[in-house]
Amino acid sequence: MNPLSERKYIIIGVFLLVGLAFIARLFYIQVINDSYKLDARNQAFRYTTEFPNRGYIYDRHHKLLVYNEAAYDLMVTPKEVKNFDTVDFCKLVDITKDEFIKKMKKAVQAPNSPRKPSVFEKQLSPQDYASLQELLYRFPGFFVQSRTLRKYPMKIAANMLGYIGEADKDMTERDPYYNEGDYLGISGVEKTYEKALRGKKGLRILMVDVNNSPKGSYMNGLYDTAATPGKALESTIDADLQLYGEMLMQNKIGSIVAIEPQTGEILALVTSPSYDPNLLVGRARNKNFSKLYLDTVRVPLFNRATMASYPPGSTFKLVESLIGQQEGVLNRETKYPCSAGYAPLGGHPKCEVHPSPLALYDAIGYSCNSYFSYVFKSIIENKKYHDTYVAFEAWRNIALSFNIGRKTNSDLANELRGNIPSIKYYDKVFGKGVWKASTVISLGIGQAEMGITPLQNANVATIIANKGWYYTPHIVKAIDNNANDTTLGRFKIKHFTAITDTAIYNNVIEGMSHVTESGTAHLLKIDGVEYCAKTGTAENPHGRDHSVFVAFAPKNNPKIAIAVLVENAGWGASWAGPIATLMMEKYLNGKIARKELEKTMMDANLIDNIKAYEPKKKKKK
Amino acid sequence: MERRKSNSIFSDVDWVTVLLYLVLITMGWLNIYSAVYNEDHHAITDMTQKYGKQMLWIGTSLLIASIILIIDEKFYTAFAYLIYGLILVACIAVPYLGREVKGSRSWFRFGDFGIQPAEFMKFAANLAIAKFLSNAHIKIADYRNTIITLLIIGVPLIVIKVLQDETGLAIVFVTFIFTLYREGLSVNYLLLGFVAIVLFILALLVNNIYLFIIIASLCVVASLFIRRTRKNLFAIALVGLICCGMVKGTSTVYDHMEAHQKIRIDVLLGRGTVDKKKEGYNVNQAKIAIGSGGWTGKGYLNGTQTKYDFVPEQDTDFIFCTVGEEWGFFGSSVVIILELLLILKVVFMAERQRSAFSRIYGYGVASVLFFHLTINVGMTIGLAPVIGIPLPFFSYGGSSLWSFTILLFIFIKLDSHRLEILR
């Protein structure tokens, strides 16, 4: 044998070694390392999104509040743009050459890419689209993607419905469902019910070759998904009442909240000044948004019904009366004197001139400040507690059970907590053990640091109308015609306050009846409807007193509870009262008998009053 | 012997090897079909498409294989030098007589089809080497014979590189070093080559000063462990100097390379800034295609990277990408194993020859196939520089398929007569 034949082992060894090295390397790049798979997908797949139709929103009588209109985004894939007549194109799309160059530059630069389609011109109207589409074949690289835009036929309830915006980078990181530029609800119902409204995006995977020309769908569409349209919402709003409320509130600052007591359904939620929701849609959105956003005098994007916390003023005397009775220091016979003010503190808080002394019904009717200062003092100095602070805590806890000073947990996107001051707070302000009932006496008439939102105030009226219970106020009653949708579950739970004795409520309701018969609101009558109300004139640090009014009607078997607040308008009975009674009249009677009053209210411009403000020290009504 | 002669000429053919060959060309064709597949051309015989043409090349290859098996085996030994000479002449002539296609001057064109004589130089050179070294009086260790052998290999290498500018086709001839090693070439040549490659790579990646220091310290260490005779110390010093010379020479060699070759080396070694969209594009796309295959691949005809032209030359030099993408880790391993099996089979067959000519020729076949496999697959997975040479039996191309077929089947023919007298 050839002595060199041993060398074959070396040669075979080398061959095997290389083979093994290759298989090991293949194992690494094919099985272990995933980055190549990702690169392959990015290169060869084009993911196209099919945007679902966003859910419509209806009012409680199935009147359309929000629907969609088709809009078309003109998309461009810069790499595919060839043989291009820029002049022709600019004429077609109605832009200048400079704009064209700017937009093309944007489409090429990160995060866009020459290979990937990006938006060239946003939200073309169907008319523009029609004329564009005929000629688009001449401009390779451009195509049109359909989107949907919100449309508001009645132009009402802008703040409550909320608006749509584009997902930003932050959003896409928080929720991977969204891609940058996707539409989503930013505020109001659009935000709260985003998941139901948005539906589910569809995805089509197209394969493209190295020149980015489409080569059909991947695996014959095995991984494609169709878009699922968003669910329709049935709102609790009565569109006609809402519209009427917005008309009454025009040129005034403030809000109206009306609730159906038996269900907690919000019938109307007006905040003023507001805006036409159609402004925040389409190509003019950004321009309009900054205009609204920068309007710091009228602040139209601010939902006062849920976001503004006001001192409740005299309307709080209702809760005060309830607590007094519950704590056993007040009954309907209890009488206190009034000398145009609360005598023990030298006539402060002040009061109007009226018969004295008064019992509970008339005290509510006349809204006597002195009376409720005595009531508050008797609650705080209640002998049964032996300790002022324990009594104060008891008072505060009962008040909290009326869902004031804490969020109602409604489905309105942004809500303020409001405030009922705590012992801790006063200890900090006055010092521990230093303060007593007389120090904080104005809490008894809904002033001092107390703050509640109009929504909470309307809920207080609801509780009294129901004599002790309420459902969490809400704006949506059914999702996709399903009233039992789990997201609505929390609105089916009956909440009770700390006061359950209906006799206690009956006394307060009687007092509220006195308000409309002989008291502060005796001039405001509704044809054929006996109703209960309480006026308020809330002192505030911002200017003239706020005009406040809470009511429910009819007195027996109430159908509507309402809270109205007009900022810096003065007496409760002069602005908030008429507006509230007109609203109830409209809702219950379907027509308005008091045309004169209606016209006065609608025509009045109180916004200018704010500037003509002069400091005034008055607490009452 | 008379009894054997009376049998069919195919009686002693090694059918396992033939089967491996058939399996590989079939798999190759399937992958070419997939790589160039498009919906407009379904017919597998469509002559406007490469898979149609490859069909033709396969058919003719089988014909050629049959002819080779029919021709008397003495023909190959007798005319080895003549064949070598004729094809060498063709190689020299082609730049002047052939038609230039896409800047390449290595083709004779016949209408739609072309022939690359350089492809056939491989088996011709192999025949010539076998003929020369099988001479009973020749010992390769003899200085003069080494020179002649190197000339047989070196002349076509230089002709193809210089006249035709086909680096890929030329560099293949280096692989005959395996044959020479088996036939007695001093192992020092192999080590020299190995050390040269390692030092070349190191010199490009590491500061040369450090390399000099390392070489020097290794020499010192070596001298501590051997008998310090004058001869040994001299040898160590010589090795050290040669190594240092190689390191020093690297930059000179590198500087004299063509721009695209420098880039390919840079891409392989990850030197400097490699732009994956430009110079690194091919290799990166090849890796993406193969890497995206995963365990089992995307399925036949379902590749996206190869079919949609992300990978350049996906039907010829980068055919392995289609394998990797559509058949995954399993499929590509199977291809590598089958190719290796064929190569090892040839090695074992070579070892069983009584005739030195047959053995030497057999080693040449294995070496050529091995070199192609190594470089071709190596470049697609980033382990070898990009050199445009085909994957045996897989890549599209008539000349290469014919060339590999001839190369292999001459050996199969020689092997079928292994029991006859020594040549």
Side-chain angles (χ1 to χ4, degrees), chain A residues 491-556:
Chain A
F491 306 131
K492 305 270 187 290
I493 300 164
K494 209 173 194 176
H495 300 280
F496 292 90
T497 65
I499 303 173
T500 47
D501 184 355
T502 49
I504 292 177
Y505 289 96
N506 284 336
N507 284 333
V508 173
I509 290 170
E510 215 43 60
M512 288 174 81
S513 203
H514 271 61
V515 172
T516 62
E517 280 160 14
S518 55
T520 47
H522 71 277
L523 293 175
L524 303 168
K525 304 280 189 221
I526 305 173
D527 247 11
V529 178
E530 197 183 341
Y531 75 100
C532 301
K534 179 74 195 78
T535 57
T537 305
E539 202 181 70
N540 69 89
H542 306 292
R544 223 180 131 191
D545 295 345
H546 296 328
S547 171
V548 194
F549 199 85
V550 298
F552 60 84
K555 182 181 175 189
N556 296 313

Coordinates of all heavy atoms in Angstrom, one line a residue, chain A residues 491-556:
Chain A
F491 N -73.2 51.0 36.2 CA -74.3 51.9 36.2 C -75.6 51.2 36.6 O -76.7 51.8 36.6 CB -74.5 52.6 34.9 CG -73.3 53.2 34.4 CD1 -72.8 53.0 33.1 CD2 -72.5 54.1 35.2 CE1 -71.6 53.6 32.7 CE2 -71.4 54.7 34.8 CZ -70.9 54.4 33.5
K492 N -75.5 49.9 36.9 CA -76.7 49.2 37.3 C -76.7 48.9 38.8 O -77.6 48.3 39.4 CB -76.7 47.8 36.6 CG -76.6 47.8 35.1 CD -78.0 47.9 34.5 CE -77.9 47.8 33.0 NZ -77.3 49.0 32.4
I493 N -75.7 49.5 39.5 CA -75.6 49.3 41.0 C -76.3 50.5 41.7 O -75.9 51.6 41.5 CB -74.2 49.1 41.4 CG1 -73.6 47.9 40.7 CG2 -74.1 49.0 42.9 CD1 -72.0 47.9 40.8
K494 N -77.2 50.2 42.5 CA -77.9 51.3 43.3 C -77.1 51.7 44.5 O -76.6 50.8 45.2 CB -79.3 50.7 43.8 CG -80.4 51.7 43.9 CD -81.7 51.0 44.2 CE -82.9 51.9 44.1 NZ -84.1 51.1 44.3
H495 N -76.8 53.0 44.6 CA -76.0 53.4 45.7 C -77.0 54.1 46.7 O -77.9 54.9 46.3 CB -75.0 54.4 45.3 CG -74.0 53.9 44.3 ND1 -73.0 53.1 44.6 CD2 -74.0 54.0 42.9 CE1 -72.3 52.7 43.6 NE2 -72.9 53.2 42.5
F496 N -76.8 53.9 48.0 CA -77.6 54.6 49.0 C -76.7 55.5 49.8 O -75.5 55.3 50.0 CB -78.2 53.5 50.0 CG -79.2 52.7 49.3 CD1 -78.9 51.5 48.7 CD2 -80.6 53.1 49.3 CE1 -79.9 50.7 48.1 CE2 -81.5 52.4 48.7 CZ -81.2 51.2 48.0
T497 N -77.3 56.6 50.2 CA -76.5 57.6 51.1 C -76.6 57.1 52.5 O -77.2 56.1 52.8 CB -77.1 59.0 51.0 OG1 -78.4 58.9 51.5 CG2 -77.2 59.4 49.5
A498 N -75.9 57.8 53.4 CA -75.9 57.5 54.8 C -77.3 57.8 55.4 O -77.6 57.5 56.6 CB -74.8 58.3 55.5
I499 N -78.2 58.5 54.7 CA -79.5 58.8 55.2 C -80.5 58.1 54.4 O -80.7 58.3 53.2 CB -79.7 60.4 55.1 CG1 -78.6 61.1 55.8 CG2 -81.1 60.7 55.7 CD1 -78.7 62.6 55.7
T500 N -81.3 57.2 55.1 CA -82.2 56.3 54.4 C -83.6 56.6 54.8 O -84.5 56.1 54.1 CB -81.9 54.9 54.6 OG1 -81.7 54.7 56.0 CG2 -80.6 54.5 53.9
D501 N -83.9 57.4 55.8 CA -85.2 57.6 56.3 C -85.9 58.6 55.3 O -85.6 59.7 55.2 CB -85.1 58.2 57.7 CG -86.5 58.4 58.3 OD1 -87.5 58.2 57.6 OD2 -86.6 58.8 59.5
T502 N -87.0 58.1 54.6 CA -87.6 58.9 53.6 C -88.3 60.1 54.3 O -88.5 61.2 53.6 CB -88.7 58.1 52.8 OG1 -89.5 57.4 53.7 CG2 -88.0 57.2 51.9
A503 N -88.7 60.0 55.5 CA -89.4 61.1 56.2 C -88.5 62.3 56.2 O -88.9 63.5 56.0 CB -89.8 60.7 57.6
I504 N -87.2 62.1 56.4 CA -86.2 63.2 56.4 C -86.2 63.9 55.1 O -86.2 65.1 55.0 CB -84.8 62.6 56.8 CG1 -84.8 62.1 58.2 CG2 -83.7 63.6 56.5 CD1 -83.5 61.5 58.6
Y505 N -86.2 63.1 54.0 CA -86.2 63.7 52.7 C -87.5 64.4 52.4 O -87.5 65.5 51.8 CB -86.0 62.6 51.6 CG -84.6 62.0 51.6 CD1 -84.3 60.8 52.3 CD2 -83.6 62.7 50.9 CE1 -83.0 60.3 52.3 CE2 -82.3 62.2 50.9 CZ -82.0 61.0 51.6 OH -80.8 60.5 51.6
N506 N -88.6 63.8 52.9 CA -89.9 64.5 52.6 C -89.9 65.9 53.2 O -90.5 66.8 52.6 CB -91.1 63.7 53.3 CG -91.4 62.4 52.4 OD1 -91.1 62.4 51.2 ND2 -91.9 61.4 53.1
N507 N -89.3 66.1 54.4 CA -89.3 67.5 54.9 C -88.5 68.4 54.0 O -88.9 69.5 53.8 CB -88.6 67.4 56.3 CG -89.6 66.9 57.4 OD1 -90.8 67.0 57.2 ND2 -89.0 66.3 58.4
V508 N -87.4 67.9 53.5 CA -86.6 68.8 52.6 C -87.3 69.0 51.3 O -87.3 70.2 50.8 CB -85.2 68.1 52.4 CG1 -84.4 68.9 51.3 CG2 -84.4 68.1 53.7
I509 N -88.0 68.0 50.8 CA -88.7 68.2 49.6 C -89.9 69.2 49.8 O -90.1 70.1 49.0 CB -89.3 66.8 49.1 CG1 -88.2 65.9 48.6 CG2 -90.4 67.0 48.0 CD1 -88.6 64.5 48.4
E510 N -90.5 69.2 51.0 CA -91.5 70.2 51.3 C -90.9 71.6 51.3 O -91.5 72.5 50.8 CB -92.1 69.8 52.7 CG -93.6 70.1 52.8 CD -94.4 69.7 51.6 OE1 -94.4 68.5 51.2 OE2 -95.0 70.6 51.0
G511 N -89.7 71.7 51.9 CA -89.0 73.0 51.9 C -88.7 73.4 50.5 O -88.9 74.6 50.1
M512 N -88.3 72.5 49.6 CA -88.0 72.9 48.2 C -89.3 73.3 47.5 O -89.3 74.1 46.6 CB -87.4 71.7 47.5 CG -85.9 71.4 47.9 SD -85.3 69.9 47.2 CE -84.8 70.5 45.6
S513 N -90.4 72.7 47.9 CA -91.7 73.1 47.3 C -92.0 74.5 47.7 O -92.5 75.3 46.9 CB -92.7 72.1 47.8 OG -93.8 72.1 47.0
H514 N -91.7 74.9 49.0 CA -91.9 76.2 49.5 C -91.1 77.2 48.6 O -91.5 78.3 48.4 CB -91.4 76.3 51.0 CG -92.6 76.0 51.9 ND1 -93.2 74.8 51.9 CD2 -93.2 76.8 52.8 CE1 -94.1 74.8 52.8 NE2 -94.2 76.0 53.4
V515 N -89.9 76.8 48.2 CA -89.0 77.7 47.4 C -89.8 78.1 46.2 O -89.7 79.3 45.8 CB -87.7 77.0 47.0 CG1 -86.9 77.8 46.0 CG2 -86.9 76.6 48.2
T516 N -90.5 77.2 45.5 CA -91.1 77.5 44.3 C -92.5 78.2 44.5 O -93.0 78.8 43.6 CB -91.3 76.3 43.4 OG1 -92.1 75.4 44.1 CG2 -89.9 75.6 43.1
E517 N -93.1 77.9 45.7 CA -94.4 78.5 45.9 C -94.3 79.9 46.5 O -94.9 80.8 45.9 CB -95.2 77.6 46.9 CG -95.8 76.4 46.2 CD -96.1 75.3 47.2 OE1 -96.1 75.5 48.4 OE2 -96.3 74.1 46.7
S518 N -93.5 80.1 47.5 CA -93.5 81.4 48.2 C -92.1 81.9 48.4 O -91.9 83.0 48.8 CB -94.2 81.2 49.5 OG -93.5 80.2 50.3
G519 N -91.1 81.1 48.1 CA -89.7 81.4 48.4 C -89.0 82.1 47.3 O -89.6 82.8 46.5
T520 N -87.7 81.8 47.3 CA -86.8 82.6 46.4 C -87.1 82.4 44.9 O -86.7 83.2 44.1 CB -85.4 82.2 46.6 OG1 -85.3 80.8 46.7 CG2 -84.8 82.8 47.9
A521 N -87.8 81.3 44.6 CA -88.1 81.0 43.1 C -89.6 81.1 42.8 O -90.1 80.6 41.8 CB -87.5 79.7 42.7
H522 N -90.3 81.9 43.6 CA -91.8 81.8 43.5 C -92.2 82.5 42.2 O -93.3 82.3 41.7 CB -92.5 82.5 44.7 CG -92.3 84.0 44.7 ND1 -91.1 84.6 45.2 CD2 -93.1 85.0 44.2 CE1 -91.2 85.9 45.1 NE2 -92.4 86.2 44.5
L523 N -91.3 83.2 41.5 CA -91.7 83.8 40.2 C -91.6 82.9 39.1 O -92.0 83.2 38.0 CB -90.8 85.1 40.0 CG -91.1 86.3 40.9 CD1 -90.1 87.4 40.7 CD2 -92.5 86.8 40.8
L524 N -90.9 81.7 39.3 CA -90.7 80.8 38.2 C -91.6 79.6 38.3 O -91.5 78.7 39.1 CB -89.2 80.3 38.3 CG -88.1 81.4 38.3 CD1 -86.8 80.8 38.7 CD2 -88.1 82.0 36.9
K525 N -92.6 79.7 37.4 CA -93.6 78.6 37.4 C -93.5 77.8 36.1 O -93.3 78.4 35.0 CB -95.0 79.2 37.5 CG -95.2 80.1 38.8 CD -95.5 79.2 40.0 CE -95.9 80.2 41.2 NZ -95.2 79.8 42.4
I526 N -93.8 76.5 36.2 CA -93.9 75.7 35.0 C -95.4 75.3 34.8 O -96.0 74.8 35.8 CB -93.0 74.5 35.1 CG1 -91.6 74.8 35.4 CG2 -93.1 73.7 33.8 CD1 -90.7 73.7 35.6
D527 N -95.9 75.5 33.7 CA -97.3 75.2 33.4 C -97.7 73.8 33.8 O -97.1 72.8 33.2 CB -97.6 75.3 31.9 CG -98.5 76.5 31.6 OD1 -98.8 77.3 32.6 OD2 -99.0 76.6 30.5
G528 N -98.6 73.6 34.7 CA -99.1 72.3 35.1 C -98.1 71.4 35.8 O -98.3 70.2 35.9
V529 N -97.0 71.9 36.2 CA -96.0 71.1 36.8 C -95.6 71.6 38.2 O -95.2 72.8 38.3 CB -94.7 70.9 36.0 CG1 -93.7 70.1 36.7 CG2 -95.0 70.4 34.6
E530 N -95.8 70.8 39.2 CA -95.4 71.2 40.5 C -93.9 70.7 40.7 O -93.7 69.5 40.5 CB -96.3 70.6 41.6 CG -96.2 71.2 42.9 CD -97.1 70.4 44.0 OE1 -97.9 69.7 43.5 OE2 -96.8 70.6 45.1
Y531 N -93.0 71.6 41.0 CA -91.6 71.2 41.1 C -91.0 71.7 42.3 O -91.5 72.5 43.1 CB -90.9 71.6 39.8 CG -90.5 73.1 39.8 CD1 -89.2 73.5 40.1 CD2 -91.4 74.0 39.4 CE1 -88.8 74.8 40.1 CE2 -91.1 75.4 39.3 CZ -89.8 75.8 39.7 OH -89.4 77.1 39.6
C532 N -89.8 71.1 42.6 CA -89.1 71.4 43.8 C -87.7 72.0 43.4 O -87.1 71.5 42.5 CB -88.8 70.2 44.7 SG -90.4 69.4 45.2
A533 N -87.3 73.0 44.2 CA -86.0 73.6 43.7 C -85.3 74.3 44.9 O -85.8 74.3 46.0 CB -86.3 74.7 42.7
K534 N -84.1 74.7 44.6 CA -83.4 75.5 45.6 C -82.4 76.4 44.8 O -81.7 76.0 43.9 CB -82.5 74.5 46.5 CG -81.7 75.3 47.6 CD -82.6 75.8 48.7 CE -81.9 76.9 49.5 NZ -81.8 78.2 48.9
T535 N -82.5 77.7 45.2 CA -81.6 78.6 44.5 C -80.3 78.7 45.3 O -80.2 78.3 46.4 CB -82.2 80.0 44.6 OG1 -82.5 80.4 45.9 CG2 -83.5 80.1 43.8
G536 N -79.3 79.2 44.6 CA -78.0 79.5 45.2 C -77.4 80.7 44.6 O -77.5 80.9 43.4
T537 N -76.7 81.4 45.4 CA -75.9 82.5 44.9 C -74.5 82.4 45.4 O -74.3 82.7 46.6 CB -76.6 83.9 45.3 OG1 -77.9 83.8 44.8 CG2 -75.9 85.0 44.6
A538 N -73.7 81.8 44.7 CA -72.4 81.3 45.3 C -71.3 82.4 45.2 O -71.0 82.8 44.1 CB -71.9 80.1 44.6
E539 N -70.9 82.8 46.3 CA -69.8 83.7 46.4 C -68.5 83.0 45.9 O -68.3 81.8 46.2 CB -69.6 84.1 47.9 CG -68.9 85.4 48.0 CD -68.7 85.7 49.5 OE1 -68.0 85.0 50.2 OE2 -69.4 86.6 50.0
N540 N -67.7 83.7 45.2 CA -66.5 83.0 44.7 C -65.4 84.1 44.5 O -65.7 85.3 44.4 CB -66.8 82.3 43.4 CG -67.1 83.3 42.3 OD1 -66.2 83.7 41.5 ND2 -68.4 83.7 42.1
P541 N -64.2 83.6 44.5 CA -63.1 84.5 44.4 C -62.8 85.1 43.0 O -61.9 85.9 42.9 CB -61.9 83.7 44.9 CG -62.3 82.3 44.6 CD -63.8 82.2 44.6
H542 N -63.6 84.7 42.1 CA -63.3 85.1 40.7 C -64.1 86.3 40.2 O -63.9 86.8 39.1 CB -63.5 84.0 39.7 CG -62.8 82.7 40.1 ND1 -61.4 82.7 40.1 CD2 -63.2 81.6 40.6 CE1 -61.0 81.5 40.5 NE2 -62.1 80.8 40.9
G543 N -65.1 86.8 41.0 CA -65.9 87.9 40.5 C -67.2 87.9 41.1 O -67.5 87.4 42.2
R544 N -68.2 88.4 40.3 CA -69.6 88.4 40.8 C -70.1 87.0 41.1 O -69.5 86.0 40.6 CB -70.4 88.9 39.6 CG -71.5 89.9 40.1 CD -72.3 90.4 38.9 NE -73.7 90.4 39.2 CZ -74.6 90.5 38.3 NH1 -74.3 90.7 37.0 NH2 -75.9 90.5 38.7
D545 N -71.1 86.9 42.0 CA -71.5 85.6 42.5 C -72.0 84.8 41.3 O -72.6 85.3 40.3 CB -72.7 85.8 43.4 CG -72.3 86.5 44.7 OD1 -71.0 86.6 44.9 OD2 -73.1 87.0 45.5
H546 N -71.8 83.4 41.5 CA -72.4 82.5 40.5 C -73.9 82.3 40.8 O -74.3 82.2 41.9 CB -71.7 81.1 40.6 CG -70.2 81.2 40.3 ND1 -69.7 82.1 39.4 CD2 -69.2 80.4 40.7 CE1 -68.4 81.9 39.3 NE2 -68.1 80.9 40.1
S547 N -74.6 82.2 39.7 CA -76.0 82.0 39.9 C -76.2 80.5 39.8 O -75.9 79.8 38.8 CB -76.8 82.7 38.7 OG -78.1 82.3 38.7
V548 N -76.8 79.9 40.9 CA -76.9 78.4 40.9 C -78.4 78.0 41.2 O -79.1 78.7 41.8 CB -76.0 77.8 42.1 CG1 -75.9 76.3 41.9 CG2 -74.7 78.5 42.1
F549 N -78.8 76.9 40.6 CA -80.1 76.4 40.8 C -80.2 74.9 40.7 O -79.6 74.3 39.7 CB -81.0 77.0 39.7 CG -82.5 77.0 40.0 CD1 -83.1 78.0 40.7 CD2 -83.3 76.0 39.5 CE1 -84.4 78.1 41.0 CE2 -84.7 76.0 39.7 CZ -85.2 77.1 40.5
V550 N -80.7 74.2 41.7 CA -81.0 72.8 41.6 C -82.4 72.5 41.7 O -83.1 73.3 42.5 CB -80.2 71.9 42.6 CG1 -78.7 72.1 42.4 CG2 -80.6 72.3 44.0
A551 N -82.9 71.6 41.0 CA -84.4 71.3 41.1 C -84.7 69.9 40.6 O -83.8 69.3 40.0 CB -85.1 72.3 40.2
F552 N -85.9 69.5 40.9 CA -86.4 68.3 40.2 C -87.9 68.4 40.0 O -88.5 69.2 40.7 CB -86.0 67.0 40.9 CG -86.6 66.9 42.3 CD1 -87.9 66.5 42.5 CD2 -85.8 67.2 43.4 CE1 -88.4 66.4 43.8 CE2 -86.3 67.1 44.7 CZ -87.6 66.7 44.9
A553 N -88.4 67.7 39.0 CA -89.8 67.8 38.7 C -90.3 66.6 38.0 O -89.5 65.9 37.4 CB -90.0 69.0 37.7
P554 N -91.6 66.2 38.1 CA -92.5 66.9 39.0 C -92.2 66.5 40.4 O -91.4 65.6 40.7 CB -93.8 66.2 38.6 CG -93.6 65.5 37.3 CD -92.1 65.2 37.3
K555 N -92.9 67.2 41.4 CA -92.6 66.9 42.8 C -92.9 65.4 43.1 O -92.1 64.8 43.8 CB -93.6 67.8 43.6 CG -93.3 67.7 45.1 CD -94.3 68.6 45.9 CE -94.1 68.3 47.4 NZ -95.2 69.1 48.1
N556 N -94.0 64.9 42.6 CA -94.3 63.5 42.8 C -93.8 62.7 41.6 O -94.1 63.1 40.4 CB -95.8 63.3 43.0 CG -96.3 64.0 44.3 OD1 -95.6 63.9 45.3 ND2 -97.3 64.8 44.1

